[in-house]
Amino acid sequence: MSNIRFEAIKLSMNHRAPGVQESATLCSEEKVKDYFARDVFTRERMKEYIAEEVLAALFDDVDNGRTIHREIAGIVAIGMRKWAMDRGATHFTHWFQPLTGGTAEKHDAFFTLKDGTLIEEFSGEALYQQEPDASSFPSGGIRNTFEARGYSAWDPSSPVFLIGDTLCIPTVFVAYTGEALDYKTPLIRSTASLCHAAREVCAYFDKQVKHVHANLGWEQEYFLVDEALYNARPDLLLTGRTLMGHLSAKNQQLGDHYFGAIPARVLAFMRELEYEALRAGVPVRTRHNEVAPNQFEMAPVYENVNLANDHNLLVMSIMERVAQRHHFRVLLHEKPFAGVNGSGKHCNWSIGTNTGINLLAPGKNPYQNLQFITFLVNVLMAVYKYNGLLKASIASATNEHRLGANEAPPAIISVFLGKQISAVLDKLEHASADEAIVINAKKEMKLGVANIPEILLDNTDRNRTSPFAFTGNRFEFRAVGSSANCGAAMLALNAAVAEQLLLFKQEVDSRIEQGQPKERALFEVIRQYIVSCKPIRFDGNGYSEEWKAEAARRGLNCETSVPVIFDQYLLPETVKMFEATGVLSEAELHSRCEVKWGTYNKKLQIESRVLGDLVLNHVLPAAKRYQTMLLQNVLAVKQVFTAEEVATLNARDYDIIRQIENHSCAILEGVEAMTEARHKANRQTDERSKAVAYHDCVLPLMAQIREHADALELIVDDEMWTLPKYRELLFTH
Ligand code: ADP
Ligand code: MG
């Protein structure tokens, strides 16, 4: 009988990196600067296709966040089509980010029929707005209650690009009534809100600041698995993670994978991935092995948050395509393998001004430093107030397996500042206003408490256990999951900080109105904040049991059940914050939660079904076959040896036969209980109760069943085992 596992292993052994002859990328001698953004309709390139005055109007509107005039869209569309067709494109698509995760596209050809004659066409209308058949995208009830239609609408702030023969147009996706049905819409709103608030606060320090933007530098972690082995694991195929599998004897104990030499076949994949990403305008720069075997990371240079997020989603889809060409499958799941590290997507976030100042970096003069402290402390306040919401923004059925495990950020949001910045805040807290801020005879300000410019940005002062860490000139939100749309986390952070900055401004202004000098007013409010947000600061070991207890005492959100964490979106203060900043309405928040709970349920339902199938149809038959073999052997031994000899000869066999029996029974009982629990969960009438039932009653049974299946994997004859084992999945490349 052929064993699918061995077939897969045989196939995987023949998978090699494509030779130089087969890969255009690998033999290309072009320099990066020659092909970077070749497939993007950049501003530079637009000049070749669109009249100067039209572009001036377009850029002015885009840069100032104004709606583009339809007439302008019409002219731009003509240039866009020309460029795309010059590059061999035949189709275009609106490219959007529905709440399912990932991206959605529907291709249309660049032509229409007029009186039976084919004419090439791409109208301003087609660029501006489309009405995809939206009924299958999740809306969390929004469309049922209002209108069934959904629109995708051009986001001119993110350039269009080519993928193969298709022109991709980044778009927002909204309901007929204007409610957001995607991640991009609220992300753009949140950036606008943050920029407005930050500009208001910047005005205390520098009147030249006209525009503020938020930056994002993501670090995408992922696993690669050989395609043949992947195809032999129904759980990877259907759920993106292994639902069972005994830990390999060697995994990541030796720490020999992190930053190790990149295996040749993987490097060939990375090169082609980078080539494609760079052509699409994604400035990817960093690549390395991650901690777990077969785990890797890629990171670009940071960009404005909307563009960076588009680029991340684009890279995620390029990865999947390129991986297939190399006979790999890329796993973006947060926890594809138990017992080794999971994958995250650290989001490096900062805010910068049109004058070139990074508001989260220490500056060159006392004003810039007071500004830095102001923004730093306001971020701390926002994260403190909304620590539960920020956790909700990164929570999902898949990230749940990563959070709280010992190699991933803990399920409690706290902020790591490092020794030097902590010392500055401690000094400010205890200084008097006169000590802290000295204005000399020439009306120059001096910060009397700390010489901030001399703060060494010590990169080694890092805390890998912190979910939200200050790293010298930015915050690194480390809890975001590898499969997530970063938009969810970024929009929550942007909105929370925006609200906080406006509040800060109100408090400072009211002190100034009461006659306090500006610097003193700023200092007093900052000091107050330093005191109130203290509970969020934690530089210790986020994995320790003591921290869990301490965090609870500090009043930080310690909830670990994902369906319950989602409640954070609907707390009165959250709704108020999102409405005040114009980022999400109450109806949108409700719809988002519905989608989140619904997705959670569907994912767990699928996982539970797949696990049932795996253990009943793969594990138990193999176990039974091996047990039968042992039983036959026992009988045969009895015929040849004396009773006395048999007792010692068969001791191990008896024991294994019994173990197989026990584990098999436990699995059968477990599957029955799990199925019953699933049915019970499905009978709940609302998505939240269903999700809670899946979390509380189905998930634990899945873990129990897995334990028995993994135990059987260790016992059963290797040749009879049909599912590729961890050692094969993790060490084949
Ligand atoms: P790490 O050492 O944290 O793994 P990486 O080099 O992998 O660092 O990634 C760091 C990311 O942070 C990159 O995307 C980089 O462009 C980004 N980054 C650097 N400075 C800033 C900044 N000021 N704001 C936002 N992102 C930044
Ligand atoms: Mg990194």
Side-chain angles (χ1 to χ4, degrees), residues 346-368:
H346 299 176
C347 285
N348 293 270
W349 174 90
S350 66
I351 19 186
T353 68
N354 62 314
T355 53
I357 299 294
N358 174 354
L359 296 168
L360 292 177
K364 292 195 182 69
N365 58 50
Y367 260 102
Q368 283 180 2

PDB file of all heavy atoms in Angstrom, residues 346-368:
ATOM      1  N   HIS A 346       5.452  42.654  13.502  1.00  0.00           N
ATOM      2  CA  HIS A 346       5.709  43.843  14.303  1.00  0.00           C
ATOM      3  C   HIS A 346       5.392  45.077  13.471  1.00  0.00           C
ATOM      4  O   HIS A 346       5.828  45.190  12.330  1.00  0.00           O
ATOM      5  CB  HIS A 346       7.179  43.889  14.726  1.00  0.00           C
ATOM      6  CG  HIS A 346       7.580  42.713  15.562  1.00  0.00           C
ATOM      7  ND1 HIS A 346       8.855  42.499  15.997  1.00  0.00           N
ATOM      8  CD2 HIS A 346       6.848  41.694  16.039  1.00  0.00           C
ATOM      9  CE1 HIS A 346       8.895  41.400  16.708  1.00  0.00           C
ATOM     10  NE2 HIS A 346       7.685  40.885  16.745  1.00  0.00           N
ATOM     11  N   CYS A 347       4.630  45.981  14.073  1.00  0.00           N
ATOM     12  CA  CYS A 347       4.296  47.220  13.374  1.00  0.00           C
ATOM     13  C   CYS A 347       5.078  48.364  14.010  1.00  0.00           C
ATOM     14  O   CYS A 347       4.780  48.783  15.129  1.00  0.00           O
ATOM     15  CB  CYS A 347       2.796  47.486  13.457  1.00  0.00           C
ATOM     16  SG  CYS A 347       1.847  46.433  12.358  1.00  0.00           S
ATOM     17  N   ASN A 348       6.104  48.850  13.313  1.00  0.00           N
ATOM     18  CA  ASN A 348       6.889  49.994  13.794  1.00  0.00           C
ATOM     19  C   ASN A 348       6.152  51.254  13.389  1.00  0.00           C
ATOM     20  O   ASN A 348       5.943  51.504  12.203  1.00  0.00           O
ATOM     21  CB  ASN A 348       8.279  49.972  13.180  1.00  0.00           C
ATOM     22  CG  ASN A 348       9.093  48.788  13.675  1.00  0.00           C
ATOM     23  OD1 ASN A 348       9.791  48.872  14.676  1.00  0.00           O
ATOM     24  ND2 ASN A 348       8.977  47.668  12.983  1.00  0.00           N
ATOM     25  N   TRP A 349       5.784  52.035  14.398  1.00  0.00           N
ATOM     26  CA  TRP A 349       4.870  53.162  14.148  1.00  0.00           C
ATOM     27  C   TRP A 349       5.493  54.456  14.666  1.00  0.00           C
ATOM     28  O   TRP A 349       6.060  54.487  15.761  1.00  0.00           O
ATOM     29  CB  TRP A 349       3.559  52.851  14.861  1.00  0.00           C
ATOM     30  CG  TRP A 349       2.519  53.908  14.875  1.00  0.00           C
ATOM     31  CD1 TRP A 349       1.538  54.107  13.957  1.00  0.00           C
ATOM     32  CD2 TRP A 349       2.301  54.891  15.901  1.00  0.00           C
ATOM     33  NE1 TRP A 349       0.737  55.154  14.333  1.00  0.00           N
ATOM     34  CE2 TRP A 349       1.176  55.653  15.510  1.00  0.00           C
ATOM     35  CE3 TRP A 349       2.942  55.198  17.098  1.00  0.00           C
ATOM     36  CZ2 TRP A 349       0.683  56.706  16.289  1.00  0.00           C
ATOM     37  CZ3 TRP A 349       2.458  56.251  17.870  1.00  0.00           C
ATOM     38  CH2 TRP A 349       1.336  56.994  17.457  1.00  0.00           C
ATOM     39  N   SER A 350       5.422  55.489  13.866  1.00  0.00           N
ATOM     40  CA  SER A 350       5.908  56.797  14.332  1.00  0.00           C
ATOM     41  C   SER A 350       5.093  57.892  13.651  1.00  0.00           C
ATOM     42  O   SER A 350       4.319  57.621  12.729  1.00  0.00           O
ATOM     43  CB  SER A 350       7.392  56.968  14.018  1.00  0.00           C
ATOM     44  OG  SER A 350       7.584  57.015  12.621  1.00  0.00           O
ATOM     45  N   ILE A 351       5.262  59.130  14.117  1.00  0.00           N
ATOM     46  CA  ILE A 351       4.592  60.251  13.460  1.00  0.00           C
ATOM     47  C   ILE A 351       5.623  61.299  13.082  1.00  0.00           C
ATOM     48  O   ILE A 351       6.528  61.593  13.860  1.00  0.00           O
ATOM     49  CB  ILE A 351       3.471  60.884  14.327  1.00  0.00           C
ATOM     50  CG1 ILE A 351       3.631  60.519  15.803  1.00  0.00           C
ATOM     51  CG2 ILE A 351       2.099  60.481  13.863  1.00  0.00           C
ATOM     52  CD1 ILE A 351       2.498  60.971  16.689  1.00  0.00           C
ATOM     53  N   GLY A 352       5.485  61.812  11.872  1.00  0.00           N
ATOM     54  CA  GLY A 352       6.476  62.773  11.386  1.00  0.00           C
ATOM     55  C   GLY A 352       5.800  64.000  10.803  1.00  0.00           C
ATOM     56  O   GLY A 352       4.610  63.987  10.483  1.00  0.00           O
ATOM     57  N   THR A 353       6.564  65.077  10.663  1.00  0.00           N
ATOM     58  CA  THR A 353       6.005  66.332  10.159  1.00  0.00           C
ATOM     59  C   THR A 353       6.550  66.649   8.768  1.00  0.00           C
ATOM     60  O   THR A 353       7.548  66.076   8.344  1.00  0.00           O
ATOM     61  CB  THR A 353       6.406  67.506  11.071  1.00  0.00           C
ATOM     62  OG1 THR A 353       7.820  67.702  10.925  1.00  0.00           O
ATOM     63  CG2 THR A 353       6.079  67.228  12.514  1.00  0.00           C
ATOM     64  N   ASN A 354       5.872  67.578   8.107  1.00  0.00           N
ATOM     65  CA  ASN A 354       6.348  68.013   6.782  1.00  0.00           C
ATOM     66  C   ASN A 354       7.696  68.725   6.881  1.00  0.00           C
ATOM     67  O   ASN A 354       8.392  68.900   5.897  1.00  0.00           O
ATOM     68  CB  ASN A 354       5.318  68.947   6.128  1.00  0.00           C
ATOM     69  CG  ASN A 354       5.103  70.210   6.939  1.00  0.00           C
ATOM     70  OD1 ASN A 354       4.950  70.165   8.147  1.00  0.00           O
ATOM     71  ND2 ASN A 354       5.112  71.353   6.271  1.00  0.00           N
ATOM     72  N   THR A 355       8.077  69.125   8.116  1.00  0.00           N
ATOM     73  CA  THR A 355       9.372  69.789   8.275  1.00  0.00           C
ATOM     74  C   THR A 355      10.478  68.770   8.522  1.00  0.00           C
ATOM     75  O   THR A 355      11.614  69.139   8.833  1.00  0.00           O
ATOM     76  CB  THR A 355       9.321  70.782   9.457  1.00  0.00           C
ATOM     77  OG1 THR A 355       8.843  70.056  10.618  1.00  0.00           O
ATOM     78  CG2 THR A 355       8.384  71.939   9.192  1.00  0.00           C
ATOM     79  N   GLY A 356      10.127  67.494   8.426  1.00  0.00           N
ATOM     80  CA  GLY A 356      11.149  66.452   8.530  1.00  0.00           C
ATOM     81  C   GLY A 356      11.477  66.011   9.943  1.00  0.00           C
ATOM     82  O   GLY A 356      12.490  65.368  10.192  1.00  0.00           O
ATOM     83  N   ILE A 357      10.598  66.375  10.880  1.00  0.00           N
ATOM     84  CA  ILE A 357      10.858  65.988  12.268  1.00  0.00           C
ATOM     85  C   ILE A 357      10.085  64.708  12.600  1.00  0.00           C
ATOM     86  O   ILE A 357       8.897  64.591  12.307  1.00  0.00           O
ATOM     87  CB  ILE A 357      10.392  67.120  13.230  1.00  0.00           C
ATOM     88  CG1 ILE A 357      11.156  68.421  12.955  1.00  0.00           C
ATOM     89  CG2 ILE A 357      10.533  66.693  14.685  1.00  0.00           C
ATOM     90  CD1 ILE A 357      12.630  68.372  13.253  1.00  0.00           C
ATOM     91  N   ASN A 358      10.761  63.751  13.209  1.00  0.00           N
ATOM     92  CA  ASN A 358      10.086  62.576  13.750  1.00  0.00           C
ATOM     93  C   ASN A 358       9.667  62.934  15.177  1.00  0.00           C
ATOM     94  O   ASN A 358      10.514  63.160  16.043  1.00  0.00           O
ATOM     95  CB  ASN A 358      11.057  61.389  13.738  1.00  0.00           C
ATOM     96  CG  ASN A 358      10.461  60.161  14.416  1.00  0.00           C
ATOM     97  OD1 ASN A 358       9.369  60.211  14.992  1.00  0.00           O
ATOM     98  ND2 ASN A 358      11.175  59.053  14.338  1.00  0.00           N
ATOM     99  N   LEU A 359       8.374  63.010  15.395  1.00  0.00           N
ATOM    100  CA  LEU A 359       7.865  63.481  16.692  1.00  0.00           C
ATOM    101  C   LEU A 359       8.136  62.485  17.815  1.00  0.00           C
ATOM    102  O   LEU A 359       7.952  62.802  18.983  1.00  0.00           O
ATOM    103  CB  LEU A 359       6.370  63.791  16.591  1.00  0.00           C
ATOM    104  CG  LEU A 359       6.036  64.948  15.640  1.00  0.00           C
ATOM    105  CD1 LEU A 359       4.551  65.010  15.358  1.00  0.00           C
ATOM    106  CD2 LEU A 359       6.530  66.278  16.230  1.00  0.00           C
ATOM    107  N   LEU A 360       8.565  61.286  17.462  1.00  0.00           N
ATOM    108  CA  LEU A 360       8.871  60.296  18.495  1.00  0.00           C
ATOM    109  C   LEU A 360      10.381  60.076  18.643  1.00  0.00           C
ATOM    110  O   LEU A 360      10.819  59.069  19.189  1.00  0.00           O
ATOM    111  CB  LEU A 360       8.161  58.976  18.199  1.00  0.00           C
ATOM    112  CG  LEU A 360       6.632  59.051  18.328  1.00  0.00           C
ATOM    113  CD1 LEU A 360       5.987  57.738  17.948  1.00  0.00           C
ATOM    114  CD2 LEU A 360       6.218  59.436  19.750  1.00  0.00           C
ATOM    115  N   ALA A 361      11.155  61.034  18.147  1.00  0.00           N
ATOM    116  CA  ALA A 361      12.604  60.936  18.321  1.00  0.00           C
ATOM    117  C   ALA A 361      13.086  62.149  19.102  1.00  0.00           C
ATOM    118  O   ALA A 361      12.603  63.259  18.883  1.00  0.00           O
ATOM    119  CB  ALA A 361      13.292  60.893  16.963  1.00  0.00           C
ATOM    120  N   PRO A 362      14.039  61.944  20.019  1.00  0.00           N
ATOM    121  CA  PRO A 362      14.615  63.078  20.729  1.00  0.00           C
ATOM    122  C   PRO A 362      15.169  64.071  19.714  1.00  0.00           C
ATOM    123  O   PRO A 362      15.647  63.669  18.647  1.00  0.00           O
ATOM    124  CB  PRO A 362      15.754  62.450  21.532  1.00  0.00           C
ATOM    125  CG  PRO A 362      15.393  61.015  21.664  1.00  0.00           C
ATOM    126  CD  PRO A 362      14.628  60.666  20.432  1.00  0.00           C
ATOM    127  N   GLY A 363      15.078  65.370  20.027  1.00  0.00           N
ATOM    128  CA  GLY A 363      15.445  66.382  19.035  1.00  0.00           C
ATOM    129  C   GLY A 363      16.783  67.034  19.285  1.00  0.00           C
ATOM    130  O   GLY A 363      17.585  66.549  20.086  1.00  0.00           O
ATOM    131  N   LYS A 364      16.991  68.139  18.591  1.00  0.00           N
ATOM    132  CA  LYS A 364      18.304  68.785  18.657  1.00  0.00           C
ATOM    133  C   LYS A 364      18.319  69.957  19.625  1.00  0.00           C
ATOM    134  O   LYS A 364      19.364  70.473  19.967  1.00  0.00           O
ATOM    135  CB  LYS A 364      18.686  69.291  17.255  1.00  0.00           C
ATOM    136  CG  LYS A 364      18.947  68.162  16.287  1.00  0.00           C
ATOM    137  CD  LYS A 364      19.674  68.678  15.049  1.00  0.00           C
ATOM    138  CE  LYS A 364      19.904  67.581  14.038  1.00  0.00           C
ATOM    139  NZ  LYS A 364      18.654  67.103  13.401  1.00  0.00           N
ATOM    140  N   ASN A 365      17.131  70.443  19.985  1.00  0.00           N
ATOM    141  CA  ASN A 365      17.102  71.583  20.904  1.00  0.00           C
ATOM    142  C   ASN A 365      16.014  71.348  21.950  1.00  0.00           C
ATOM    143  O   ASN A 365      15.203  70.431  21.819  1.00  0.00           O
ATOM    144  CB  ASN A 365      16.874  72.877  20.117  1.00  0.00           C
ATOM    145  CG  ASN A 365      15.579  72.817  19.321  1.00  0.00           C
ATOM    146  OD1 ASN A 365      14.525  72.477  19.875  1.00  0.00           O
ATOM    147  ND2 ASN A 365      15.649  73.111  18.034  1.00  0.00           N
ATOM    148  N   PRO A 366      16.025  72.182  22.990  1.00  0.00           N
ATOM    149  CA  PRO A 366      15.077  71.939  24.084  1.00  0.00           C
ATOM    150  C   PRO A 366      13.616  71.924  23.631  1.00  0.00           C
ATOM    151  O   PRO A 366      12.824  71.126  24.130  1.00  0.00           O
ATOM    152  CB  PRO A 366      15.335  73.099  25.035  1.00  0.00           C
ATOM    153  CG  PRO A 366      16.734  73.515  24.759  1.00  0.00           C
ATOM    154  CD  PRO A 366      16.956  73.272  23.302  1.00  0.00           C
ATOM    155  N   TYR A 367      13.249  72.782  22.668  1.00  0.00           N
ATOM    156  CA  TYR A 367      11.857  72.789  22.218  1.00  0.00           C
ATOM    157  C   TYR A 367      11.484  71.465  21.583  1.00  0.00           C
ATOM    158  O   TYR A 367      10.436  70.889  21.848  1.00  0.00           O
ATOM    159  CB  TYR A 367      11.605  73.945  21.240  1.00  0.00           C
ATOM    160  CG  TYR A 367      10.946  75.103  21.952  1.00  0.00           C
ATOM    161  CD1 TYR A 367      11.674  76.216  22.332  1.00  0.00           C
ATOM    162  CD2 TYR A 367       9.585  75.039  22.270  1.00  0.00           C
ATOM    163  CE1 TYR A 367      11.084  77.253  23.018  1.00  0.00           C
ATOM    164  CE2 TYR A 367       8.982  76.073  22.955  1.00  0.00           C
ATOM    165  CZ  TYR A 367       9.732  77.176  23.328  1.00  0.00           C
ATOM    166  OH  TYR A 367       9.136  78.189  24.011  1.00  0.00           O
ATOM    167  N   GLN A 368      12.390  70.987  20.725  1.00  0.00           N
ATOM    168  CA  GLN A 368      12.117  69.705  20.075  1.00  0.00           C
ATOM    169  C   GLN A 368      12.040  68.580  21.099  1.00  0.00           C
ATOM    170  O   GLN A 368      11.270  67.637  20.948  1.00  0.00           O
ATOM    171  CB  GLN A 368      13.205  69.392  19.044  1.00  0.00           C
ATOM    172  CG  GLN A 368      13.028  70.188  17.763  1.00  0.00           C
ATOM    173  CD  GLN A 368      14.104  69.867  16.735  1.00  0.00           C
ATOM    174  OE1 GLN A 368      14.958  69.024  16.954  1.00  0.00           O
ATOM    175  NE2 GLN A 368      14.064  70.566  15.616  1.00  0.00           N
TER     176      GLN A 368
END
